[in-house]
Amino acid sequence: MPPRLVAPSLLAADHGDFAAGVRAVEESGAPWLHLDIMDGHFVPNISFGPQVVADLRPRTRLHFDVHLMLSRPDRYVDAFIKAGADRITVHVEAQHDVAATLRAIRQAGLPAGLALNPDCDPARALPFLEQVDLVLCMTVFPGFGGQAFMPSVLTSIRTFDAERRQGGRAFRLEVDGGINAETAALCREAGADTFVAGTAFYKAADRKAFLRSVTG
Ligand code: DX5
Ligand code: ZN
């Protein structure tokens, strides 16, 4: 299992002052910044696009963990690579040739991730495990921050952790949605190692202590 880490989600920051949101992550010591990209079609919300990512890039050396919630992620992979993404995750449910999109991300030299919604059968992702560096199990239906964690997803997390062990694979197992100290403990027990946290991170009075409570 890779070392555990937290990727605070900028979605929960003040969208009028993303630079301050990034500084808060840097000051906390978290190594990654999770960037939620929403198109108003794959999910019922619109967040921000490649220009925001490009403008934040020179301000920080945080690892940009880009989560594309787009119906056609294949059409935007290049734009986010140019904008400064360090890794890109796409959804298995989106309208694209999943294998080709994952290949394009890796051919550009970036780690590739595959995301699944809470109601998605893990079997849909299994054919792609050789092509991924990260599996993202959504623990809420994507679109909005601040939703309640869905414990039903723990079964999928266990499935991917078992696949990883049996197949001798090294992909990260990321969880996203409703993550706080309590729900992170459940995810750790199920095998997750990479924790996206939006609302709970930005609301925490002591963010360093919050990160420790998530990684355990
Ligand atoms: C949900 C996004 C998440 C979101 C998590 O659509 O993919 O990354 O920012 O936010 P919290 O931690 O508030 O559930
Ligand atoms: Zn996300």
Side-chain angles (χ1 to χ4, degrees), residues 9 11-12 34 36 38 67 69 138 140-147 176-179 196-200:
S9 172
L11 191 70
H34 187 77
D36 284 306
M38 304 179 178
H67 175 196
M69 285 160 277
M138 290 303 305
V140 300
F141 281 99
F144 299 92
Q147 303 182 76
D176 182 3
I179 298 299
V196 177
T199 306

Side-chain angles (χ1 to χ4, degrees), residues 8 10 13-14 17-26 33 62 201-202 207:
L10 196 65
D14 175 357
D17 194 357
F18 280 137
V22 171
R23 277 199 302 278
V25 176
E26 290 215 315
L33 179 71
L62 288 166
F201 172 82
Y202 281 101
R207 293 187 179 127

